[in-house]
Amino acid sequence: MTVAWAPRDALLERVRAEQNTDEWKARYAARAGVEGTIHQAVAVSGIGRTRYRGLAKTHLGHVLTATAINLIRLDAWWNDTPLAPTRTSRLAALEPTA
């Protein structure tokens, strides 16, 4: 049985080694930005489920949601307010401040 897992372990080691390269981190940074935008769309408008029947109305809903997200981001940029505060873990919150 050990032989059957050997190729999988080698693949896992290779992929983990790739994740430490600057090229992989640059590609992942772009994906993280996209994932943040998708999360914001779902959180703001519930875009995960459409309210409308039909492709045209659903498309219009998506366009309006994208416009709303752009306006929210422009407002935050103009007023120098961050979109969301950085989360502090419960363990980090227990650390005494100096």
Side-chain angles (χ1 to χ4, degrees):
M1 285 199 170
T2 309
V3 177
W5 292 103
R8 184 176 177 192
D9 291 340
L11 176 66
L12 190 60
E13 288 178 19
R14 184 176 56 84
V15 170
R16 285 182 178 160
E18 283 179 15
Q19 290 177 354
N20 290 327
T21 63
D22 291 334
E23 177 191 353
W24 187 90
K25 289 177 183 179
R27 277 191 331 219
Y28 189 78
R31 178 181 171 168
V34 170
E35 293 289 338
T37 301
I38 292 171
H39 172 74
Q40 188 177 15
V42 170
V44 167
S45 69
I47 202 168
R49 293 191 57 114
T50 186
R51 299 176 186 162
Y52 312 107
R53 289 185 139 188
L55 189 59
K57 289 181 183 178
T58 301
H59 175 70
L60 178 63
H62 289 172
V63 169
L64 293 174
T65 299
T67 303
I69 290 172
N70 286 337
L71 291 174
I72 289 169
R73 289 181 173 190
L74 278 173
D75 179 59
W77 184 56
W78 286 331
N79 294 319
D80 292 326
T81 56
L83 292 175
T86 303
R87 187 179 80 80
T88 304
S89 70
R90 291 181 178 164
L91 182 62
L94 294 174
E95 184 177 312
T97 57

